[in-house]
Amino acid sequence: MGDNPMSRSPEDSTNLIVCSTCRFSKDAREDASGRRGGALFAEALAAALVEHRCRDRVELQEMPCLFACTSHCTVYIRAERRLGYVLGRFVPSREHAVALLDYISQYLDSSDGVVPYGNWPNGVKGHFLVRVPPRGFVWAPR
């Protein structure tokens, strides 16, 4: 697959991919010190992950631009044989990082990536943008 980091084969693990170039907020590209919201959110997630119960079950990765520019601080959760999710409009804070990791813990405990809405932490409600079917998924309507 070459040396291109975009062409790595997917691992049989759960990845939390953070858009490192995301805006800081709806109205600001950067914070007062000139840092992008995505980079700040990646740092908040990395710091929270160190002591979170899912730390050994999820790999935090960064990617420049997930093309969700209208939804600042965007992430993509993906795993083999589970639904994937793109979430955005987070504040690059520890509070939002922990809420997202709490959701991911439940996601990891599911067999298919579906976490019942009643179990979602408040900090992720209203942040879901896209649901991505796993490779080979075929929808069979009832």
Side-chain angles (χ1 to χ4, degrees):
M1 293 192 105
D3 294 330
N4 181 346
M6 299 271 295
S7 66
R8 290 187 296 186
S9 62
E11 301 168 16
D12 193 17
S13 65
T14 298
N15 306 114
L16 174 57
I17 301 164
V18 183
C19 177
S20 60
T21 57
C22 264
R23 300 176 62 82
F24 180 74
S25 68
K26 178 182 173 186
D27 300 319
R29 181 179 297 272
E30 302 166 339
D31 72 354
S33 66
R35 300 204 51 221
R36 291 287 185 109
L40 293 168
F41 196 39
E43 286 178 12
L45 284 161
L49 189 59
V50 169
E51 51 195 40
H52 199 274
R53 64 185 171 274
C54 71
R55 70 180 164 271
D56 296 326
R57 300 175 66 200
V58 65
E59 180 182 356
L60 181 63
Q61 300 173 337
E62 293 183 39
M63 179 177 168
C65 200
L66 289 176
F67 283 11
C69 301
T70 58
S71 299
H72 56 280
C73 292
T74 303
V75 300
Y76 173 39
I77 303 166
R78 71 172 175 199
E80 289 292 317
R81 296 176 297 280
R82 286 190 177 103
L83 288 167
Y85 297 95
V86 177
L87 297 91
R89 298 182 304 268
F90 286 105
V91 173
S93 68
R94 180 171 183 81
E95 178 183 350
H96 277 200
V98 169
L100 181 57
L101 294 174
D102 288 346
Y103 172 81
I104 290 172
S105 278
Q106 295 179 63
Y107 173 86
L108 290 164
D109 290 339
S110 73
S111 61
D112 55 4
V114 176
V115 177
Y117 179 79
N119 295 344
W120 293 5
N122 285 331
V124 299
K125 291 179 179 176
H127 293 272
F128 285 82
L129 305 174
V130 176
R131 179 172 62 171
V132 181
R135 183 179 6 189
F137 176 81
V138 176
W139 180 259
R142 296 178 193 199

